[in-house]
Each structure stands twice: as C-alpha cells, then as structure tokens.
Amino acid sequence: MLIAAFLVSTSFTVGKAITPFMDPATLTLMRFLLATLLFAPYVIYKFGLTFPGIIAILRYSLISMALVGFFWLMFLALRSTDPLNTGAIFTTVPGLAGLYSWLLLREKLGKSRVMALFLAMTGALWVIFEGDMQLARSLEFNYGDILFFAGCLSMALYMPLVKLMHRGEPMAVMTFWILATGCFWLLLLVSLQPPATAPVPPPAKLWFGIVYLAFFTTIITFFITQWATLHLGPTRVMAYSYLYPPLIILIEWFLQSDIPSGQTLVGIMIIAPALIIVQWEERKMVKRHLET
C-alpha cells in the first residue's frame, strides 16, 4: 500500500504537467481507453469476456459515472490549483466515503473514522490556507480547489457504489466494465464540447503521461489495492490516502527543489496521525473479531 500510495501521489504531479496540452475530458478519455485496452487481455485470459447483460451494464455505468466525474474534475482543477492542494483535499475522501456508506449501506462510522476525518480535514484546510486564519475566515477558496472537492464528493461515492452494486462477479471483471462504461460517459462528454478551432500537435510528454497514468496509477494500483484489501481490510487501505500530501511534497521537492513552508509542514503533521488512528483501531477490531 505504500507503493500504491506513492504511485497515486505521482498522478497529481503528472496530471498538473500534462493538463495544459489537452482538454480534461479528452485527456481522461485517453486514460480510460488505454487502461481498458491494457486490462482487457488479462480479463480475457483469466475469466473470459462476455456481455454481462443490460442490467449489469447499467450497474457498471452508475459506478463509472462517479469515477469519471472525479478524474475529469481532477484534471480540470489542476489547471488552476497545485498538486499539494489536491492531495490535501483528497484526504477528505475516506471520511466522505464513510458518510456515504452510512447512508447507502447503513455501516457505522465508528470513533476511529470520525476522529480521522476531523484530523484529516483540519490538516487539509491548514495546508490550503497555509495556516492563515484570516484567509480561512474569508473562505477564499481557489477555484481549482472547489472543483477538486466536487470531484472528491464523486470519488467518495465510488467505493460504496462498488459494494452496493457488486453481485459476486470477479472484481477484475467488474473493474473492466467500469472502465469500459466510463469510456462511454467520456465520449458523450467530449462530443458535447465545441471542437477546437486550431488544434496543436500534442507533445511527447503528454503521451508519456497518459501511458503512465493508465498503466501505473490505474492498473498497477488496482492490483495492489485488491490484494491489500483482502489482507488489511478496506478501512485500513483507504486510510493510506492520508499519506498523499507528504508524498506529494517529497515528489515536488525532488523534481523542483520546492521546499514547503513551515505552515504547510504543520498541516502535514496534523494529517499524519489520522493514518495511525485508523490502522490502530482497525487492528483492534480484527483482534476482537478473531477472539469471538
């Protein structure tokens, strides 16, 4: 999961680098198409590939709508905000997912999730406002931050929908059809946009970025996350997203020697305990379950 967290953290920096060269909807479509094509041989070899039926396609389409909304808004937001802010805001996803699970699945939030949500959101807001209470009181959110938070609301709905809509099929098959139906939503989104008046040939780094996002931050992280979920449980797996802000800081520092401010580091120090709390509480729950 540390490897997966690192790979996902790089997606914010890579996304920031390539968003100026392609429309966000088209960029997300290219990522989904490539991920679907790369994932198809594995699904065909392992499970075979047959049409699952109209009802199943509708289930997968509902899930992919939440996923597409997140990635489209992420690339759109990265045009006017930075990777650190998006990484910090993303720490609200586990808590929001817990709220959705409570509403849709009647799952209890538990003390650990509530405490982790409070710490993560406090740290995220501290990073965004750079510890400036006057700025926090004026609620002067960056436009990109607001867009990305809307994307996080969509992403948080993804995991509860997967659990709600799962009918016992292999997760790899479900993921393939989620990606495939996601391509449909993105094609629809792209077709509704006005055509570019003067298309510019995309640079090589754009295609490298798309391939990187499709393979490493989509397919590889999927396999890691699925395997880790069986061994750690979904709550502990989701808690690793609290590591995104410090990992993004390390990536940005390595690439640009951009040392974060002391106020930003304070926010990261607030976020970090949220991961420890969830891991510790989940271990206690597993231990109590085994004892009974």
Side-chain angles (χ1 to χ4, degrees), residues 235-277:
T235 302
R236 289 173 67 186
V237 168
M238 286 291 288
Y240 277 88
S241 63
Y242 296 137
L243 292 176
Y244 294 164
L247 287 172
I248 290 171
I249 284 177
L250 290 175
I251 293 166
E252 292 288 298
W253 174 76
F254 177 77
L255 294 176
Q256 304 176 17
S257 297
D258 187 11
I259 300 175
S261 66
Q263 296 288 1
T264 299
L265 292 176
V266 170
I268 299 303
M269 291 175 66
I270 296 173
I271 293 172
L275 175 64
I276 299 172
I277 291 170

Side-chain angles (χ1 to χ4, degrees), residues 10-291:
T10 63
S11 68
F12 297 102
T13 300
V14 173
K16 178 70 173 180
I18 65 178
T19 47
F21 305 106
M22 187 176 284
D23 169 74
T26 306
L27 184 58
T28 310
L29 173 61
M30 296 297 294
R31 176 183 182 176
F32 268 63
L33 278 174
L34 188 55
T36 304
L37 292 173
L38 290 173
F39 201 41
Y42 170 79
V43 176
I44 294 171
Y45 171 77
K46 192 78 174 179
F47 307 101
L49 191 60
T50 57
F51 184 70
I54 298 297
I55 300 299
I57 289 296
L58 290 175
R59 287 191 286 113
Y60 300 140
S61 298
L62 185 61
I63 299 169
S64 65
M65 187 187 298
L67 202 59
V68 164
F70 168 73
F71 286 115
W72 176 58
L73 287 169
M74 182 186 81
F75 287 124
L76 197 63
L78 283 169
R79 289 185 165 185
S80 52
T81 189
D82 57 69
L84 180 57
N85 275 26
T86 54
I89 296 170
F90 194 83
T91 60
T92 62
V93 169
L96 292 170
L99 291 173
Y100 284 134
S101 296
W102 176 71
L103 289 171
L104 298 175
L105 306 171
R106 296 303 176 187
E107 290 185 356
K108 294 182 179 180
L109 289 177
K111 293 180 180 180
S112 62
R113 284 191 181 184
V114 173
M115 189 178 297
L117 172 62
F118 174 77
L119 286 173
M121 292 188 70
T122 301
L125 291 172
W126 188 283
V127 170
I128 294 168
F129 293 119
E130 297 180 347
D132 188 341
M133 293 298 102
Q134 182 63 37
L135 183 60
R137 283 192 292 268
S138 64
L139 294 177
E140 294 180 7
F141 282 101
N142 181 292
Y143 176 67
D145 295 338
I146 297 173
L147 283 177
F148 189 73
F149 182 69
C152 287
L153 290 172
S154 181
M155 183 63 179
L157 188 59
Y158 170 71
M159 289 302 294
L161 280 179
V162 168
K163 189 170 182 178
L164 187 66
M165 299 292 175
H166 186 240
R167 297 295 183 269
E169 66 269 48
M171 285 303 298
V173 173
M174 190 178 197
T175 299
F176 171 80
W177 286 110
I178 290 171
L179 290 171
T181 54
C183 293
F184 165 77
W185 291 121
L186 287 162
L187 280 170
L188 184 63
L189 190 60
V190 170
S191 67
L192 294 175
Q193 296 181 159
T197 54
V200 179
K205 75 173 183 178
L206 171 63
W207 300 115
F208 173 80
I210 291 173
V211 171
Y212 178 86
L213 292 174
F215 184 73
F216 288 100
T217 69
T218 303
I219 295 177
I220 297 299
T221 55
F222 162 75
F223 280 108
I224 293 175
T225 303
Q226 294 303 312
W227 181 86
T229 300
L230 296 177
H231 291 77
L232 301 177
T235 302
R236 289 173 67 186
V237 168
M238 286 291 288
Y240 277 88
S241 63
Y242 296 137
L243 292 176
Y244 294 164
L247 287 172
I248 290 171
I249 284 177
L250 290 175
I251 293 166
E252 292 288 298
W253 174 76
F254 177 77
L255 294 176
Q256 304 176 17
S257 297
D258 187 11
I259 300 175
S261 66
Q263 296 288 1
T264 299
L265 292 176
V266 170
I268 299 303
M269 291 175 66
I270 296 173
I271 293 172
L275 175 64
I276 299 172
I277 291 170
V278 174
Q279 298 289 331
W280 177 68
E281 190 68 21
E282 189 76 8
R283 281 178 179 270
K284 286 172 57 180
M285 290 176 62
V286 171
K287 185 178 180 181
R288 285 197 298 265
H289 176 73
L290 291 175
E291 288 175 351

